[in-house]
Amino acid sequence: AAPALAAPALARGFAAAGLPSTMKAAVVRECGPADALAVETDYAVPALPEDGVIVANQYAGINFIDTYHRKGLYPRELPFIGGQEGGGTIAAVSDKAAAAGYKVGDRVAYSVFQTYAEFTAVPTGKLLPVPDGVDMDVAVCCPVQALTAHYLTSDAHAGLIKPGEWMLIHGVGGGTCQWAAQMAKIQGYKVIGTTSEAKEHVARGTGCDELIVLKNAPNATFEDYTSVDVAAAVKDITGGEMAKAVIDGIGLATWEISLNSLGRRGIFVSFGNASGTVPAFEPLKLIGKSLFMTRPKLLDYVENREKLLRRAGDVFQWIKDGKLNVSVDRSFPLEAAADGHKYLESGASTGKVLYKI
């Protein structure tokens, strides 16, 4: 757990006076496999931002994008603390943060870099107040995974699908798309989900109208998409209409399946690379049904605080109303940082994977 902080240490100002000078953190000094994520106990505590706070983290979310940073697929300046999703209580506030209404002890979640650590510096514009009735482990699932699912199902499709039409979502047995399937149903879409046999019991809890169950892919983080003709199944389910939108975080193994599963003027929303990146392809591949394709990212859908709070407000309210079932699969101690990445990449997870700080 984070070091205990005496009350006088939690004074506001432009330096986090009284906080420890060093902390425990999971650090990448050279890109590579999961063991490149090494836990250090003497990493410098971040400086208090002029317009921000220091959060004493209770949990940090583990997301596939963290593994892309660790591997160097999405380059970052070395060394760096892993993670970009966390939550806990505010341990120090700047004068500007205090003027904005934040105070020591407030429960917050957030998404910034460097969350695999006891303390994180967070600008006020990135803070999400955690409402009463929402546990911190659940709240930490929201800033990346839940907000990603929110924009994917509400906006990334550019309105090319309407409520009552079919949406195909790959991998609804775990991770972001477990959220996305539930959110798509809340918003009135008819949902076809793909899942593996091993995760079928989880996928059925998402409320999908139809499930396409595939064989388990050995030694992979995704289903065996060669075991079932997914596009043919979609055609049968929809009576030949096909899907108006496909949400695809699998990538290399599914991109052609996704295109083939779309109906006229449908949209392929490619947001992840679980099986490898989607290769470059000729735009003429889209001409048969006048298809659309987008490769979005979360930051472009929470580009201002108003949109961030609107999306987070929807998510937290759906949780409180019992409309969203948030599944925390496992919480690893930060000391086992590499094990957390290995578990996520193994494909064994059936819900959110966290570090308990």
Side-chain angles (χ1 to χ4, degrees), residues 192-244:
I192 304 169
T194 65
T195 189
S196 66
E197 292 174 339
K199 298 182 180 181
E200 181 180 356
H201 65 291
V202 177
R204 294 212 176 273
T206 64
C208 289
D209 295 276
E210 299 284 349
L211 274 181
I212 300 172
V213 181
L214 302 107
K215 298 291 185 183
N216 303 322
N219 303 315
T221 62
F222 53 93
E223 300 77 23
D224 180 1
Y225 282 90
T226 67
S227 65
V228 174
D229 187 336
V230 173
V234 170
K235 184 176 182 179
D236 183 59
I237 290 167
T238 63
E241 292 180 16
M242 309 303 284
K244 291 295 290 185

Side-chain angles (χ1 to χ4, degrees), residues 18-352:
L19 293 181
S21 59
T22 60
M23 64 180 180
K24 180 168 53 183
V27 182
V28 175
R29 294 194 175 273
E30 291 186 10
C31 293
D35 289 323
L37 191 62
V39 177
E40 301 181 7
T41 58
D42 57 353
Y43 206 91
V45 169
L48 178 62
E50 182 178 348
D51 185 12
V53 305
I54 300 293
V55 176
N57 293 315
Q58 294 174 5
Y59 291 93
I62 309 175
N63 297 289
F64 267 103
I65 194 168
D66 304 343
T67 71
Y68 305 155
H69 290 150
R70 188 205 74 225
K71 294 174 184 175
L73 179 62
Y74 296 174
R76 286 178 58 184
E77 184 177 350
L78 295 168
F80 63 84
I81 296 172
Q84 57 177 297
E85 184 177 49
T89 57
I90 294 178
V93 295
S94 68
D95 288 330
K96 287 186 177 180
Y102 292 101
K103 61 185 184 300
V104 167
D106 284 351
R107 299 195 320 140
V108 293
Y110 61 88
S111 177
V112 301
F113 285 149
Q114 305 197 119
T115 62
Y116 295 178
E118 290 178 306
F119 298 97
T120 303
V122 186
T124 56
K126 296 290 188 179
L127 293 170
L128 298 175
V130 176
D132 292 340
V134 177
D135 293 336
M136 187 56 68
D137 58 344
V138 171
V140 172
C141 299
C142 295
V144 173
Q145 214 168 59
L147 295 189
T148 295
H150 189 286
Y151 90 78
L152 288 172
T153 55
S154 63
D155 292 294
H157 51 65
L160 292 168
I161 180 172
K162 306 299 182 188
E165 295 182 322
W166 287 101
M167 179 182 289
L168 172 63
I169 304 178
H170 290 305
V172 299
T176 299
C177 286
Q178 190 179 123
W179 291 80
Q182 296 178 76
M183 292 184 191
K185 288 297 298 176
I186 290 170
Q187 294 171 81
Y189 303 114
K190 293 189 291 187
V191 178
I192 304 169
T194 65
T195 189
S196 66
E197 292 174 339
K199 298 182 180 181
E200 181 180 356
H201 65 291
V202 177
R204 294 212 176 273
T206 64
C208 289
D209 295 276
E210 299 284 349
L211 274 181
I212 300 172
V213 181
L214 302 107
K215 298 291 185 183
N216 303 322
N219 303 315
T221 62
F222 53 93
E223 300 77 23
D224 180 1
Y225 282 90
T226 67
S227 65
V228 174
D229 187 336
V230 173
V234 170
K235 184 176 182 179
D236 183 59
I237 290 167
T238 63
E241 292 180 16
M242 309 303 284
K244 291 295 290 185
V246 179
I247 295 177
D248 186 342
I250 307 300
L252 181 62
T254 51
W255 70 277
E256 290 186 288
I257 293 169
S258 294
L259 291 177
N260 291 335
S261 298
L262 287 166
R264 185 175 290 113
R265 295 192 301 278
I267 184 166
F268 170 38
V269 181
S270 174
F271 79 98
N273 319 291
S275 65
T277 57
V278 175
F281 62 88
E282 291 288 339
L284 279 173
K285 200 167 185 71
L286 306 175
I287 198 171
K289 301 177 191 172
S290 297
L291 300 179
F292 297 83
M293 186 261 184
T294 182
R295 204 332 179 164
K297 67 179 186 295
L298 174 60
L299 289 178
D300 289 326
Y301 288 85
V302 289
E303 68 270 32
N304 58 50
R305 183 147 182 82
E306 179 184 359
K307 291 183 179 179
L308 175 66
L309 292 178
R310 177 179 64 81
R311 294 192 191 281
D314 283 348
V315 171
F316 284 137
Q317 193 60 52
W318 290 337
I319 291 171
K320 292 179 71 175
D321 290 346
K323 295 179 179 179
L324 269 181
N325 177 29
V326 181
S327 173
V328 176
D329 179 8
R330 285 189 65 178
S331 294
F332 288 82
L334 186 60
E335 293 82 356
D339 291 340
H341 272 217
K342 289 174 184 176
Y343 181 70
L344 185 69
E345 291 179 296
S346 75
S349 65
T350 57
K352 185 67 178 181

